[in-house]
Amino acid sequence: MITLTHYLVLSAILFTLGVVGVLIRRNAIIIFMCIELMLNAVNLSFVAFAHYLNSMQGQLFVFFTMTVAAAEAAVGLAIIVAVFRNKETVNIDDMNIMKW
Amino acid sequence: MTNVSIMTFNILSILPILVLAGFGMIVLLIDVLTSRKLGEKNLLAYLSLLGIVVAAVLSRSSIGTATFSFNETFTIDNYSIFFNLIFLLSTGLTILISHNYIKREEINYGEYYALLMFSTIGMMLMASGADLLNIYIGLEVMSISIYILTGFKRSKLISNEASLKYFLLGAFATGFLLYGIALIYGSTGTINLRQIACFIAGRGGGLDPLLILGMGLIIVGLGFKVASVPFHAWVPDVYEGAPTAITAFMSVGPKAAGFAAFLRIFMTSFAYTHHEWQKIIYILAVLTMTTGNVVAIAQTNIKRMLAYSSIAHAGYLLIALVSANNMGVSGTLFYILAYIFMNIGAFAIVIVLSRKGDEFIQINDYAGLGFKHPLLAIAMTLFMLSMAGVPPMAGFVGKFYIFSAAIKSGYVGLAVIGVINSVISVYYYLRITVIMYMKEPAREFSPLTISPLIVAAIVISVVGTLQLGIFPSKVMEIAQRSIFTLK
């Protein structure tokens, strides 16, 4: 029997994987993929809660999250392309014109 | 026969947003349909300003109403109207200071104005949202537009880099916000702010760990948008790399929108659990003020200095959130309004002095400005004194109200820390004044090319700073009537 807890634990694991990926990877595109993983982990939580609570709001939220993630991907990839054109690298360790 | 009830859509309630969206799209269309060389695109700037004014008039006309619309997902009350007017004012001033700047920097594309308006739409949604979904969508519409605007100087590496940093960290923070919303939804079974409050009050005490975790994650997500420490690492770099006019916009608009959502969520939904989150925000407020002010002292670049100063101002606004009373809400409204005038004014002066390829952003560049361009130096001095909180400027009155709100709620220690921080901040604000008047010019000032629009922006900012400082009672009264009427 798969319970709500199973879904939530899976979602938490996926979310943590995403966070760890953002923190340790150095390629901008992979970091962006990890961020998408975080968003989709949250979507899993939403859907599980919606099923468990018999409520539509969670499923509705997932549609909006996916739409927003698509818009974000369009802008994010465009920004990465703009950086690549000027710098010919997408390694974030090289993004050091300004001191942190 | 059964009656089918159809949800009523009160389109009129979102009219200002629709008008702004319409103007944004018209600007885009005109830009595409006219040749790139044709005219200097003055038309687009004026059209955008017209859109802002029309939206402001429409917003203003519904003052006094307090209703929900769209099945209780959207609120019209004095609080959201006050914030809408604040956003429109900041966008209007940004267009005034951008007009000449984007021509000079050769980034004079029509999307610039359209994106500014779209991002304003996002902010208005954030201030008016009555459920977490609306607030989330508003936040994303605002942020995505600003990611693009930050990287608008496409050929400049520094602008690309700022944009990439802002985008990656912003999307990362949004992930946390979203997870927070999911946990709150799971714990309370709803995403409607009022129903969350009812649920928490109905259960009485006994906090669910999911709810606490969700609240913490929402603090992370919104804390990032308002640039509070320890979620501030992006601020100096992004402010430095973005086009100066966008830096001015970023330091007021999204910050104001972040606080609009912060106050709305925490003072309606989580009002019952305020003992839990007040402790966290307390620590954030102290860290934010102190880090902002202390690090600002060491800066030599004026854009970075203003970035740290904007972090410090977020700290003062967090004090108002900690006090969690009506005075804190009206103090926040007043302070943000004052902050718009003084901050956009300061950036306008940076823009007037800069040249293409010569940004003029080292603080030492300002040496001798008092003799060469006395009027600009006087205006800059006014803005700096106001930010430091010297009476009779707007910044002083704003800080006074916020610290009073903290004392009223019993946070005397926090108010004292706030005052100490204001004293620290005087050092770096006054340093600019001292350099302007008491040092010999270190370099040549090239002749100014002043456009009427930017002069208008500086004049509005000076008048606003003085007006709010010397005669604050009228605006303060409006702010006091703009606390939440719908709970």
Side-chain angles (χ1 to χ4, degrees), chain B residues 164-214:
Chain B
L164 183 68
K165 281 177 179 169
Y166 191 23
F167 167 72
L168 287 179
L169 294 176
F172 188 52
T174 310
F176 286 96
L177 178 80
L178 204 55
Y179 203 24
I181 294 175
L183 294 183
I184 284 167
Y185 170 63
S187 156
T188 63
T190 174
I191 49 170
N192 184 292
L193 294 182
R194 204 167 53 95
Q195 286 165 14
I196 292 173
C198 292
F199 182 88
I200 295 174
R203 197 169 49 189
L207 281 164
D208 188 348
L210 275 187
L211 185 70
I212 297 277
L213 197 56

Side-chain angles (χ1 to χ4, degrees), chain B residues 166-424:
Chain B
Y166 191 23
F167 167 72
L168 287 179
L169 294 176
F172 188 52
T174 310
F176 286 96
L177 178 80
L178 204 55
Y179 203 24
I181 294 175
L183 294 183
I184 284 167
Y185 170 63
S187 156
T188 63
T190 174
I191 49 170
N192 184 292
L193 294 182
R194 204 167 53 95
Q195 286 165 14
I196 292 173
C198 292
F199 182 88
I200 295 174
R203 197 169 49 189
L207 281 164
D208 188 348
L210 275 187
L211 185 70
I212 297 277
L213 197 56
M215 234 157 57
L217 289 170
I218 287 195
I219 291 178
V220 174
L222 289 177
F224 177 88
K225 289 295 163 202
V226 302
S228 72
V229 179
F231 319 112
H232 70 292
W234 59 281
V235 178
D237 283 10
V238 174
Y239 280 29
E240 186 185 345
T244 311
I246 292 305
T247 310
F249 181 64
M250 248 191 314
S251 60
V252 291
K255 200 185 284 288
F259 274 103
F262 234 135
L263 286 169
R264 171 94 70 187
I265 295 176
F266 283 82
M267 288 189 60
T268 58
S269 293
F270 301 143
Y272 199 78
T273 57
H274 65 95
H275 293 296
E276 309 298 323
W277 55 263
Q278 270 171 331
K279 285 177 235 160
I280 307 174
I281 307 277
Y282 186 107
I283 297 170
L284 285 188
V286 173
L287 278 177
T288 307
M289 283 186 293
T290 316
T291 312
N293 281 323
V294 171
V295 183
I297 291 176
Q299 301 304 315
T300 53
N301 176 319
I302 195 157
K303 274 167 99 176
R304 279 185 97 84
M305 189 212 90
L306 286 169
Y308 281 105
S309 117
S310 100
I311 295 174
H313 285 284
Y316 302 134
L317 288 163
L318 284 173
I319 295 183
L321 181 61
V322 174
S323 35
N325 51 18
N326 285 342
M327 201 169 171
V329 177
S330 48
T332 306
L333 293 169
F334 186 91
Y335 197 94
I336 290 179
L337 186 60
Y339 182 64
I340 286 179
F341 287 126
M342 54 206 191
N343 205 44
I344 293 196
F347 275 110
I349 295 193
V350 176
I351 290 178
V352 167
L353 290 170
S354 65
R355 288 286 146 280
K356 178 163 172 55
D358 174 14
E359 283 263 55
F360 208 86
I361 44 173
Q362 295 305 313
I363 288 176
N364 282 332
D365 290 345
Y366 287 76
L369 186 70
F371 312 111
K372 187 76 186 173
H373 300 297
L375 282 176
L376 284 180
I378 287 174
M380 191 66 162
T381 310
L382 268 176
F383 299 137
M384 290 298 137
L385 290 180
S386 178
M387 286 211 234
V390 177
M393 310 296 170
F396 166 74
V397 184
K399 277 192 184 127
F400 179 78
Y401 277 113
I402 283 181
F403 295 157
S404 321
I407 291 172
K408 205 176 160 204
S409 286
Y411 289 100
V412 180
L414 191 58
V416 171
I417 298 174
V419 172
I420 293 174
N421 265 290
S422 302
V423 174
I424 298 176

Side-chain angles (χ1 to χ4, degrees), chain B residues 76-119:
Chain B
I76 299 284
D77 57 2
N78 283 351
Y79 174 80
S80 62
I81 294 169
F82 196 104
F83 262 113
N84 285 352
L85 294 176
I86 279 180
F87 302 145
L88 292 167
L89 175 71
S90 71
T91 312
L93 285 175
T94 307
I95 293 176
L96 291 180
I97 64 173
S98 307
H99 177 64
N100 213 21
Y101 176 78
I102 61 173
K103 271 191 213 166
R104 194 174 68 213
E105 299 289 327
E106 291 168 10
I107 47 172
N108 192 9
Y109 305 111
E111 303 94 284
Y112 184 90
Y113 298 110
L115 283 170
L116 275 178
M117 281 189 274
F118 292 152
S119 123

